C-alpha cells in the first residue's frame, strides 16, 4: 500500500494528461447544406412526451417537429390552415364531420386514418391516462363519462366521437362552438399510431409521429436527436438534415455555448444577456411578439378585494404602472406594453385592439384620484405575489411596486411577496391563500381571442385563478361561441373584453416577445407565434 | 477494529433515518407538488386527484414516509414526474458527479498537499506569502464567479475548452469544472497542510530522523508528511460528500447533468421522489466517507487504535 501511492498518483496524472491532450479532437456534427444538422438548446420536458400530456414549451417543441394535426398554424400569421384535414364541415357549429386526407402515414409506415385521431382523442380524454391536457376534449359529448369530476369513469370512449369511414369521423360537441376547428392545430389533437397503444413504454422512449422529423435517438434528460424524415408527405418538408436538441442546465450556459460557436440556436435569451445580445449576435438576434400576455390578477374570493366600487381602485392601480419604462429598462424591449387582454399576434382581424385605452397609460395624478375613490388599497399595503425560482419575476414586480408607490406618493402602498418555488406558488394560488394581487401569465394554446378570454375570466373557468365573475361577460362569450360568422364572433368577444375592462378583472401588463439567437452557420431562422422556432425551415450553410 | 466498525455502522442507522425523514418532511411542507405540474393553469381536479393517487400523495405524510422507506430497501426509489424511474436518473447522474468529484479531489490532493508541503517547509519565505495570498483570494471569491470567469476566458475568448460539457461528460471536459469545484477546498487543504507541516517540523521524531542521517525526501514523506496528514485526511474525507452535494453551482455553470442538476430540478418541480432519493444516497456517501476517514487514522498513525 505504501509503495503504491506514488505509482497510483503518477497513473492518475498520466490519465488526466492523456485525456487532456485528446480533447483537441473535435466532434463536428454533420455536414452542411440540406443535410446539415442544427443544434438547439432544450430544457428537460416536465412530463412524459405524449401529445395530450405536454403543456409546456420544451415538450411542445418536440411535438411540433414530429407531429402534424388536422390544422397547422401558419408560422408567420398564426392563421389555422388545413394540414391533414381534407375538410371540416358543420351546419350548426355543434356537429362536425371531419375528412382526413389520404396518403399520410406515420414514420413507421402506418397510414393516418380517422381512427388514428379518434383513438388518440379518446386516450387523451380518459381519466386513467392522467393526461394534463385532457380538458381540451371537454367540449366533446361524452367527456363527462370518461373524465368525471368525481368518481370512476363510466365509459371507455366519448360518445360524441364516431368513425364513419376509413378517412372520416364525426364529432358532436355539447354546445355551439363555431371556432372549434381552429383549435385543432393544438398538439393535444395530434393523431397517434397503433404502436403508441401496443407498447406504450417503447413509444415513450422513442416517440413515433407523422411530422417532418423522426426521433433518431433520445437520451432522457440530456439530448434528443431528430432526423429529417425523407418520405414525409407534407408540403413543409424539413430544409435541414435534422435537429439535435441539447438539454442545458442553465440558459446562460446555452447562450455562452452559442457565442463560443458550439451551438446553433438558442430560443430563450437569458435576461442578463439582453444588454450584450446586439453586440454578440447583431442581426442574428430575433425579438418578435408571441402569444403571451402577463397580467396582475386579484383575489376576488377575498371579501377585502371584492367590494362594490373597487373597480376604480383596480383601474387606478393599472394607471399607476409605468409599463413603457419597465419594458424598456428591465426587459430591454423584449416586452410590449399591453393595450388589451389578448395579444398582437392575433392581428386586428383576430381581435387584437386597443381596448384598455387610458386605463393602461401611466398617469400618476389620475391614478391617485381613482385609488382614493375606490376606497384605497385594502389594509393600506398590498403584496404582489410571485414565484422567485424561475422567470426573473422579482425584477419587474419590484419595478411595478416602485411605480405604484411613486404614483400614489406612498412608500408602503405596494411590496413584492416572493414565493420559493413555482409549485408552492401555484399551490397558494389555486388553494386561494393569497390575499393580494398576484402575477399571472398566459401563453395561448391556439391563436384565437377565445383562448385569451374564456379560460381566464369566464365564471369558474379552468384558469380563472382570481375567481373574477361577471354575468354579462359570460353571456357575451356564450353568444360569441355560438356565432357562426367569425368576424361577428370576434366582435362579441371584444364586447366581453370591454366588460372585463370596465370592472378591471385583471390588470394587463405587457405582451411577451419570443427572443432567440442563432449562429452564422444557419439561416432562415424564425419564431412562430408560440415563440417556438420554425425548425423545419432552418437552412444550414 | 471489527467491533469498532460494527459500532460505527450501527450508529449510522439513526442518522440515516433521521436525515431522510427530515428531507421528506421539508419537501412535503412546501405544499402540493401537483399544483406546479400543470403550469400556469390549474390541473382539473379529477386529473390532479388521479396523479396524487399514483404518486401516493393522497396519504398522510408518515404513511408516505413508511411506504417510501419500505420501497427503498427493495431498491425502488419511485418515479419522477416525467415518468422516469428515480434509479434511472441516479444511474445517469451519479457516475458523472462521481467523476467530477474525483477530478476535484485529485486536484485537492495533488495541488493542495504539494503547495501545503512547499509552503510549510519554507515558512515565511516569499513563496509562502505568495501562496497564502493566492489561497486567500481563492477562498474569498465565490465559486460561481471563478466558474463563469474561467468559462468566459477559456471557453469563449481563447477557445481552449468547450464552455459546456457534453452529455457524456468525458474526463477531459471535466478538468476545468473540477478545478473550479475544488478551488475553495483546495485552498483550505493547502493551508491545513502548511500549518500541520510547520508544526511537526520541529517535532522530536523529525529531529531524530534527521539526526539518523535519513535522506531529506524520506524524512519529509515518511515521517513529517504522514504525521501531518491527519487533519487533511479528515477534511478531504468529509469534503467528498460536500463536493457531491454542493456541485449544484458548478454543474449549472458548465452544463453537467449530474447530481446537482437533478437535485435542482427536483427541488424546482418539488419532486419528492427525486429529492429524497438523491439526498438519501448522498447521506449514505457522507456516512461512508466519514467512516473511511476514521479508519484511515489508524493507518496513518498506529498509535490510534480502535477497541
Amino acid at each position: 500500500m505504501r509503495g503504491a501511492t506514488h505509482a497510483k498518483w503518477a497513473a492518475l496524472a498520466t490519465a488526466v494528461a492523456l485525456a487532456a491532450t485528446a480533447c483537441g479532437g473535435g466532434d463536428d456534427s454533420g455536414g452542411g447544406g440540406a443535410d446539415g444538422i442544427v443544434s438547439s438548446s432544450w430544457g428537460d420536458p416536465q412530463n412524459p412526451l405524449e401529445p395530450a400530456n405536454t403543456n409546456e414549451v420544451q415538450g411542445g417543441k418536440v411535438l411540433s417537429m414530429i407531429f402534424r394535426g388536422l390544422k397547422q398554424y401558419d408560422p408567420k400569421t398564426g392563421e389555422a390552415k388545413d394540414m391533414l384535414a381534407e375538410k371540416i364541415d358543420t351546419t350548426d357549429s355543434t356537429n362536425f364531420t371531419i375528412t382526413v386526407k389520404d396518403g399520410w402515414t406515420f414514420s413507421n409506415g402506418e397510414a393516418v386514418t380517422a381512427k388514428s385521431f379518434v383513438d388518440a382523442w379518446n386516450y387523451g380524454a380518459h381519466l386513467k391516462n392522467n393526461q394534463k391536457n385532457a380538458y381540451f376534449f371537454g367540449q366533446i359529448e361524452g367527456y363527462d363519462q370518461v373524465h368525471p369530476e368525481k368518481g370512476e369513469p363510466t365509459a371507455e370512449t366519448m360518445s360524441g366521437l364516431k368513425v364513419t369511414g376509413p378517412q372520416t369521423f364525426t364529432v358532436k360537441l355539447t354546445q355551439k362552438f363555431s371556432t372549434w376547428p381552429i383549435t385543432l392545430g393544438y398538439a393535444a389533437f395530434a393523431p397517434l399510431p397503433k404502436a403508441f397503444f401496443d407498447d406504450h413504454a417503447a413509444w415513450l422512449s422513442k416517440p413515433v409521429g407523422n411530422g417532418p422529423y423522426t426521433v433518431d435517438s433520445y437520451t432522457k434528460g440530456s439530448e434528443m436527436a431528430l432526423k429529417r424524415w425523407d418520405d414525409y408527405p407534407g408540403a413543409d418538408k424539413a430544409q435541414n438534415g435534422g435537429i439535435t436538441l441539447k438539454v442545458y442546465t442553465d440558459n446562460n450556459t446555452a447562450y455562452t455555448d452559442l457565442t463560443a460557436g458550439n451551438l446553433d440556436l438558442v430560443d430563450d435569451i437569458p435576461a442578463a444577456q439582453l444588454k450584450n445580445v446586439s453586440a454578440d449576435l447583431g442581426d442574428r438576434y430575433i425579438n418578435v411578439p408571441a402569444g403571451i400576455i402577463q397580467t396582475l390578477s386579484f383575489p376576488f374570493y377575498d371579501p377585502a378585494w371584492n367590494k362594490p366600487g373597487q373597480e376604480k381602485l383596480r383601474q387606478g392601480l393599472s394607471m399607476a404602472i409605468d409599463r413603457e419604462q419597465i419594458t424598456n429598462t428591465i426587459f430591454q424591449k423584449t416586452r410590449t406594453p399591453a393595450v388589451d387582454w389578448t395579444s398582437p399576434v392575433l392581428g386586428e382581424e383576430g381581435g387584437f385592439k386597443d381596448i384598455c385605452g387610458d386605463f393602461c397609460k401611466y398617469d400618476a395624478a389620475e391614478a391617485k384620484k381613482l385609488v382614493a375613490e375606490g376606497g384605497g388599497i385594502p389594509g393600506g399595503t398590498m403584496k404582489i405575489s410571485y414565484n422567485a425560482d424561475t422567470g426573473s419575476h422579482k425584477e419587474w414586480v419590484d419595478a411595478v411596486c416602485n411605480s405604484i408607490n411613486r404614483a400614489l406618493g406612498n412608500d408602503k402602498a405596494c411590496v413584492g411577496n416572493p414565493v420559493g418555488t413555482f409549485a408552492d406558488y401555484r399551490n397558494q394560488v389555486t388553494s386561494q391563500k393569497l390575499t393580494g394581487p398576484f402575477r399571472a401569465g398566459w401563453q395561448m394554446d391556439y391563436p384565437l381571442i377565445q383562448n385569451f378570454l374564456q379560460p381566464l375570466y369566464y365564471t369558474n373557468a379552468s384558469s380563472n385563478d382570481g375567481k373574477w365573475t361577471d354575468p354579462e361577460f359570460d353571456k357575451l362569450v356564450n353568444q360569441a361561441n355560438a356565432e357562426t360568422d367569425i368576424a361577428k364572433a370576434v366582435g362579441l368577444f371584444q364586447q366581453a373584453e370591454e366588460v372585463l375592462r370596465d370592472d378591471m378583472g385583471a390588470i394587463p401588463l405587457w405582451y411577451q416577445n419570443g427572443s432567440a439567437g442563432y449562429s452564422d452557420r444557419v439561416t432562415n431562422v424564425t419564431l412562430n407565434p408560440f415563440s417556438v422556432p420554425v425548425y423545419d425551415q432552418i437552412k444550414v450553410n | 477494529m471489527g467491533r469498532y466498525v460494527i459500532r460505527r455502522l450501527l450508529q449510522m442507522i439513526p442518522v440515516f433515518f433521521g436525515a431522510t425523514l427530515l428531507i421528506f418532511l421539508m419537501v412535503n411542507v412546501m405544499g402540493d407538488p401537483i399544483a406546479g405540474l400543470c403550469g400556469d393553469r390549474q390541473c382539473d381536479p379529477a386529473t390532479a386527484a388521479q396523479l396524487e393517487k399514483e404518486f401516493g400523495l393522497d396519504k398522510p405524510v408518515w404513511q408516505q414516509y413508511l411506504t417510501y422507506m419500505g420501497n427503498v430497501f427493495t431498491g425502488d426509489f419511485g418515479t419522477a414526474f416525467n415518468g422516469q424511474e428515480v434509479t434511472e436518473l441516479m444511474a445517469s447522474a451519479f457516475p458523472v458527479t462521481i467523476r467530477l468529484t474525483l477530478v476535484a479531489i485529485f486536484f485537492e490532493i495533488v495541488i493542495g498537499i504539494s503547495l501545503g508541503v512547499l509552503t510549510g517547509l519554507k515558512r515565511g519565505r516569499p513563496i509562502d506569502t505568495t501562496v497564502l495570498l493566492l489561497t486567500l483570494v481563492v477562498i474569498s471569491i465565490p465559486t460561481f464567479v471563478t466558474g463563469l470567469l474561467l468559462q468566459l476566458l477559456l471557453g469563449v475568448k481563447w477557445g481552449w475548452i468547450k464552455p459546456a460539457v457534453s452529455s457524456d461528460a468525458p474526463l477531459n471536459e471535466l478538468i476545468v469544472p473540477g478545478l473550479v469545484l475544488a478551488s475553495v477546498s483546495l485552498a483550505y487543504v493547502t493551508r491545513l497542510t502548511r500549518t500541520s507541516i510547520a508544526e511537526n517540523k520541529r517535532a522530536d521524531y523529525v529531529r531524530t530522523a534527521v539526526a539518523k542521517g535519513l535522506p531529506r525526501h524520506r524524512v519529509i514523506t515518511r515521517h513529517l508528511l504522514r504525521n501531518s496528514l491527519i487533519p487533511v485526511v479528515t477534511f478531504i474525507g468529509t469534503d467528498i460528500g460536500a463536493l457531491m452535494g454542493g456541485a449544484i453551482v458548478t454543474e449549472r455553470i458548465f452544463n453537467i447533468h449530474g447530481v446537482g442538476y437533478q437535485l435542482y430540478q427536483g427541488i424546482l418541480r418539488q419532486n419528492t421522489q427525486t429529492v429524497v432519493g438523491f439526498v438519501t444516497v448522498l447521506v449514505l456517501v457522507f456516512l461512508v466517507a466519514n467512516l473511511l476517514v476514521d479508519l484511515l487514522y489508524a493507518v496513518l498513525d498506529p498509535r490510534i487504535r480502535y477497541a
Side-chain angles (χ1 to χ4, degrees):
Chain A
M1 154 109 197
R2 282 181 205 168
T5 21
H6 280 114
K8 230 189 286 170
W9 284 8
L12 253 173
T14 340
V16 171
L18 277 176
T21 46
C23 92
D27 55 337
D28 289 343
S29 49
D35 290 324
I37 306 283
V38 182
S39 58
S40 172
S41 69
W42 197 31
D44 201 11
Q46 194 177 8
N47 303 306
L49 270 179
E50 300 164 285
N53 205 16
T54 298
N55 58 358
E56 37 78 57
V57 185
Q58 305 304 339
K61 271 183 207 170
V62 177
L63 295 182
S64 76
M65 285 190 263
I66 62 170
F67 276 109
R68 285 292 178 264
L70 291 165
K71 293 265 185 183
Q72 172 81 0
Y73 302 117
D74 186 282
K76 284 206 177 63
T77 62
E79 188 196 344
K81 289 178 174 160
D82 283 343
M83 195 74 201
L84 265 71
E86 179 86 49
K87 54 181 192 281
I88 301 175
D89 294 325
T90 181
T91 49
D92 55 1
S93 300
T94 314
N95 289 289
F96 293 85
T97 307
I98 298 170
T99 312
V100 182
K101 273 181 195 158
D102 256 330
W104 279 75
T105 59
F106 292 100
S107 58
N108 62 3
E110 185 191 327
V112 182
T113 63
K115 198 168 174 301
S116 315
F117 283 96
V118 171
D119 287 351
W121 296 6
N122 276 324
Y123 179 89
H126 203 287
L127 179 58
K128 71 166 193 285
N129 299 323
N130 294 339
Q131 302 285 295
K132 288 170 196 83
N133 287 336
Y135 61 92
F136 273 90
F137 307 98
Q139 288 106 352
I140 299 173
E141 198 177 76
Y143 177 77
D144 294 351
Q145 273 90 54
V146 297
H147 199 114
E149 274 185 42
K150 279 200 178 74
E152 294 295 307
T154 53
E156 285 303 303
T157 55
M158 290 183 280
S159 55
L161 282 182
K162 284 203 177 66
V163 179
T164 52
Q167 300 300 115
T168 55
F169 66 105
T170 58
V171 183
K172 185 165 189 235
L173 304 183
T174 49
Q175 55 184 319
K176 283 178 187 254
F177 188 179
S178 57
T179 45
W180 181 74
I182 297 180
T183 67
L184 295 177
Y186 188 66
F189 293 103
L192 285 171
K194 281 202 196 73
F196 178 87
F197 304 98
D198 292 345
D199 190 348
H200 193 220
W203 192 91
L204 281 184
S205 62
K206 200 175 174 186
V208 173
N210 65 330
Y213 292 97
T214 59
V215 178
D216 192 47
S217 70
Y218 180 21
T219 318
K220 276 188 189 160
S222 60
E223 197 171 288
M224 180 184 263
L226 295 126
K227 284 262 149 66
R228 175 182 59 211
W229 178 31
D230 288 323
D231 296 332
Y232 174 68
D236 52 343
K237 274 190 194 307
Q239 307 288 309
N240 46 57
I243 309 283
T244 302
L245 297 173
K246 293 180 176 172
V247 173
Y248 277 87
T249 49
D250 187 353
N251 58 0
N252 277 298
T253 314
Y255 184 80
T256 311
D257 235 5
L258 174 72
T259 49
N262 292 327
L263 189 72
D264 294 326
L265 174 62
V266 169
D267 63 351
D268 173 25
I269 305 280
Q273 303 287 358
L274 288 172
K275 284 191 293 291
N276 319 327
V277 74
S278 310
D280 287 345
L281 298 174
D283 56 0
R284 287 180 283 115
Y285 167 57
I286 309 173
N287 180 20
V288 291
I292 306 171
I293 183 171
Q294 290 198 313
T295 60
L296 271 190
S297 286
F298 292 93
F300 288 96
Y301 47 78
D302 184 340
W305 284 96
N306 197 2
K307 291 182 200 145
Q310 268 186 337
E311 69 276 2
K312 287 201 167 163
L313 162 70
R314 295 188 289 270
Q315 287 160 354
L317 289 175
S318 174
M319 295 180 83
I321 300 169
D322 193 343
R323 295 171 177 76
E324 202 73 45
Q325 198 193 14
I326 295 172
T327 50
N328 283 350
T329 52
I330 294 189
F331 294 121
Q332 311 281 337
K333 299 194 177 173
T334 57
R335 312 271 151 119
T336 314
V339 294
D340 76 342
W341 284 259
T342 68
S343 160
V345 298
L346 293 179
E348 269 176 37
E349 276 172 36
F352 170 67
K353 187 179 165 189
D354 184 351
I355 284 182
C356 191
D358 284 343
F359 289 141
C360 285
K361 293 200 179 72
Y362 181 67
D363 184 341
E366 186 67 16
K368 201 170 176 177
K369 195 177 125 230
L370 279 171
V371 168
E373 283 174 20
I377 293 166
T381 299
M382 66 176 200
K383 289 180 172 175
I384 299 183
S385 301
Y386 60 95
N387 56 307
D389 54 352
T390 49
S392 355
H393 296 304
K394 184 186 173 2
E395 285 82 355
W396 70 257
V397 169
D398 287 349
V400 162
C401 272
N402 282 338
S403 180
I404 290 174
N405 291 347
R406 208 170 49 232
L408 301 184
N410 173 4
D411 280 349
K412 293 197 183 81
C414 175
V415 289
N417 173 36
V419 178
T421 62
F422 180 68
D424 192 20
Y425 172 72
R426 286 300 303 165
N427 190 31
Q428 294 195 21
V429 168
T430 54
S431 57
Q432 307 185 349
K433 279 188 190 137
L434 299 175
T435 54
F438 52 93
R439 73 144 198 105
W442 184 253
Q443 168 145 31
M444 67 176 184
D445 302 309
Y446 33 79
L448 263 187
I449 183 169
Q450 179 266 350
N451 189 240
F452 281 96
L453 299 177
Q454 194 170 358
L456 290 158
Y457 307 112
Y458 195 85
T459 302
N460 284 328
S462 58
S463 290
N464 189 347
D465 294 326
K467 299 290 165 200
W468 181 77
T469 172
D470 190 301
E472 181 68 15
F473 179 89
D474 292 358
K475 200 182 91 192
L476 286 162
V477 166
N478 287 340
Q479 280 177 7
N481 278 332
E483 178 58 58
T484 43
D485 184 285
I486 305 258
K488 278 187 192 159
V490 166
L492 284 163
F493 274 119
Q494 285 175 332
Q495 281 182 37
E497 209 179 334
E498 284 166 15
V499 174
L500 175 66
R501 172 200 61 198
D502 292 340
D503 197 38
M504 197 54 81
I507 296 178
L509 295 171
W510 35 72
Y511 314 114
Q512 189 170 324
N513 290 6
S515 73
Y518 53 95
S519 73
D520 46 18
R521 210 172 78 86
V522 293
T523 51
N524 206 25
V525 183
T526 52
L527 293 179
N528 70 16
F530 303 91
S531 83
V532 172
V534 187
Y535 288 105
D536 48 61
Q537 299 301 312
I538 298 175
K539 291 193 173 99
V540 181
N541 297 334
Chain B
M1 184 82 166
R3 273 176 64 191
Y4 175 78
V5 173
I6 290 170
R7 213 172 61 220
R8 282 297 310 265
L9 284 173
L10 287 177
Q11 278 173 1
M12 280 161 74
I13 295 171
V15 177
F16 175 72
F17 281 103
T20 45
L21 181 66
L22 266 181
I23 291 295
F24 210 87
L25 290 177
M26 279 195 302
V27 181
N28 270 280
V29 161
M30 283 154 71
D32 179 15
I34 301 294
L37 261 189
C38 292
D40 259 323
R41 76 187 67 192
Q42 198 173 343
C43 289
D44 73 285
T47 310
Q50 178 84 6
L51 284 169
E52 284 190 354
K53 213 164 100 192
E54 191 176 300
F55 293 112
L57 296 165
D58 52 343
K59 302 201 183 75
V61 179
W62 63 269
Q63 212 175 326
Q64 286 183 40
Y65 178 71
L66 286 186
T67 329
Y68 181 82
M69 287 321 278
N71 287 338
V72 163
F73 283 106
T74 59
D76 175 13
F77 280 84
T79 314
F81 286 151
N82 67 354
Q84 264 181 294
E85 298 275 322
V86 174
T87 42
E88 207 180 301
L89 291 177
M90 286 178 180
S92 68
F94 270 101
V96 175
T97 298
I98 289 173
R99 227 174 301 155
L100 180 64
T101 312
L102 285 179
V103 174
I105 298 272
F106 174 77
F107 282 126
E108 274 182 33
I109 292 174
V110 174
I111 305 182
I113 296 185
S114 324
L115 282 181
V117 172
L118 193 71
T119 51
L121 292 174
K122 314 229 167 189
R123 210 158 59 118
R125 307 264 185 82
I127 178 112
D128 181 34
T129 326
T130 318
V131 172
L132 272 185
L133 259 174
L134 276 177
T135 53
L136 186 70
V137 170
V138 171
I139 291 171
S140 53
I141 299 177
T143 323
F144 73 90
V145 177
T146 345
L148 287 173
L149 204 67
L150 284 181
Q151 183 184 45
L152 185 72
L153 290 178
L154 302 178
V156 182
K157 294 268 183 265
W158 302 332
W160 292 358
I161 60 162
K162 286 188 179 174
V165 171
S166 58
S167 49
D168 302 330
L171 211 53
N172 57 338
E173 289 183 14
L174 291 178
I175 293 175
V176 175
L179 198 58
V180 170
L181 180 61
S183 58
V184 174
S185 305
L186 198 153
Y188 282 122
V189 169
T190 309
R191 294 187 148 211
L192 268 177
T193 318
R194 171 186 175 272
T195 317
S196 199
I197 292 266
E199 237 168 55
N200 289 334
K201 214 170 82 172
R202 285 178 306 229
D204 293 342
Y205 59 83
V206 174
R207 215 177 313 145
T208 315
V210 175
K212 276 200 296 186
L214 288 180
R216 188 176 153 80
H217 78 92
R218 197 168 163 82
V219 176
I220 290 170
T221 50
R222 283 296 143 87
H223 296 264
L224 182 54
L225 187 57
R226 193 169 148 184
N227 283 291
S228 309
L229 273 184
I230 289 188
V232 181
V233 166
T234 317
F235 179 80
I236 293 178
T238 45
D239 207 36
I240 292 174
L243 286 177
M244 287 186 85
I248 293 186
V249 175
T250 320
E251 291 193 355
R252 242 177 99 89
I253 293 174
F254 291 100
N255 191 40
I256 300 167
H257 299 263
V259 172
Y261 170 67
Q262 293 295 349
L263 261 179
Y264 178 74
Q265 288 267 330
I267 293 169
L268 273 194
R269 292 174 183 175
Q270 218 179 320
N271 204 328
T272 323
Q273 315 275 343
T274 324
V275 178
V276 181
F278 275 85
V279 173
T280 305
V281 176
L282 285 179
V283 168
L284 282 176
V285 171
F286 256 105
L287 292 175
V288 171
N290 270 317
L291 178 67
L292 286 180
V293 166
D294 284 358
L295 296 180
L296 258 184
Y297 285 166
V299 179
L300 283 171
D301 187 346
R303 284 174 301 178
I304 302 174
R305 299 231 179 269
Y306 302 106

